[in-house]
Amino acid sequence: MHSPEIAERLLDWYHAGRRVLPWRESRDPYHIWVSEIMLQQTRVEAVKPYYDRFLKALPTIADLAKAEEESLLKLWEGLGYYNRVRNLQKAACIIMEQYDGQMPADPDALLKLPGIGSYTAGAVASIAFGIKAPAVDGNVMRVFARLDADPEDILLPAHKRRIEAELLEIMPADAPGDLNQALMELGAMVCLPNGAPKCDTCPLQSLCQAYVKGTMTEYPVKKPKAKRTIEKMTVFLLESENRLVIRKRPAKGLLAGMYEFPHQEGFLSKKEAVEYVRSLGIEPVQVKPIAESKHIFTHKEWHMKGFSVKIDEIRLAEALENDRLTAEFLIAKEEIEKKYPIPSAFHAFTEYLQMQQGSAALKS
Ligand code: SF4
């Protein structure tokens, strides 16, 4: 049982010094929803330009529902976790069909929409509609774990449900959205992860059991996660004049529907790389190894080596015509920058090619 004083102190602190963020200036549920989805797994500073661009391109739920898949992925390029934007669109279609284009206010109805979990449902219902609904994410759980010096594993689903119930008990009816945001702000600015809370500036200091005992760095308690699998691959930048070979990824699975550079499993030697290129029916003019890179997903890591391969345009055209390269396209670099979403997993290679991708493309 928590004291209502926690809510009072948090609200006073929040109102005195909250950060001004673009989505905080809006009560439009669509805006709150988009920002909350973008902020999952992504830092506030990185989200800002994406948020503005997304809403400029798709100002309403109706626009989102009817957007082309490729332009949608392009708007998200660089943010990663692309299922987030696919689910945004699926949910937008349901809102158009079942709710006449208006986002539902009820947290239970929100929870039924694709990509909306209890945290996002609570955030949208409380911030946009003023409904008492808790929004509990990892930041909020960390704050509560330290406040209570709680030895329970915060990764257990039952733990989250308990914190949601406890937060609901202290949530004032006239400021549910502000309390949720105050807690998010405290987790982001003061009660920081990785053993670095700024307790000297924390409004909850005297109520915090971990602070009183000097054990802040022991919380939250998390059981170690399973190790990620490692996939090694060799990536080919097949270049002809100013054009590059790219191909579309499968419609399902990791990075579904995005574009990528052709690659092969394992680390190939230069000789094997040449053999692979020839197996496509293309004669390489020059083959040059490029720097290694690594990309970390939730459950796996890609360890990548690459080869820059200059190819003969005529032989390449023949290979494409003869269906040796069935799924591949030869596209001008500028076209790729504008239209073809390439995941940030390939950032080292787009950088090597001096291509503007993701957030860099936003600035151009
Ligand atoms: Fe977190 Fe320190 Fe505040 Fe406790 S006193 S809630 S550990 S910042």
Side-chain angles (χ1 to χ4, degrees), residues 117-177:
S118 63
Y119 167 80
T120 311
V124 173
S126 66
I127 300 169
F129 298 108
I131 289 172
K132 267 183 78 170
V136 173
D137 68 353
N139 283 325
V140 175
M141 286 201 281
R142 179 173 63 253
V143 173
F144 274 91
R146 288 173 175 166
L147 271 176
D148 301 338
D150 188 343
E152 196 174 274
D153 179 1
I154 65 158
L155 299 175
L156 295 173
H159 180 83
K160 187 174 180 186
R161 287 196 290 276
R162 177 165 70 76
I163 300 298
E164 284 172 344
E166 289 179 10
L167 175 53
L168 200 55
E169 273 173 23
I170 60 165
M171 188 167 272
D174 58 351

Side-chain angles (χ1 to χ4, degrees), residues 263-328:
H263 50 80
Q264 287 286 290
E265 255 179 49
F267 290 156
L268 270 51
S269 65
K270 191 170 173 182
K271 188 164 167 268
E272 289 165 333
V274 170
E275 279 166 16
Y276 167 70
V277 177
R278 286 195 176 132
S279 77
L280 300 172
I282 309 169
E283 189 54 36
V285 178
Q286 186 196 70
V287 179
K288 205 164 78 179
I290 43 185
E292 293 176 26
S293 75
K294 186 154 98 172
H295 189 80
I296 297 175
F297 298 96
T298 312
H299 302 296
K300 64 169 81 173
E301 292 181 17
W302 279 0
H303 292 195
M304 296 169 280
K305 285 189 175 181
F307 284 100
S308 160
V309 184
K310 302 272 186 255
I311 47 182
D312 184 286
E313 176 114 15
I314 298 167
R315 295 290 299 274
L316 176 66
E318 279 169 16
L320 287 164
E321 248 172 46
N322 296 337
D323 282 350
R324 296 289 287 272
L325 294 165
T326 45
E328 286 81 356

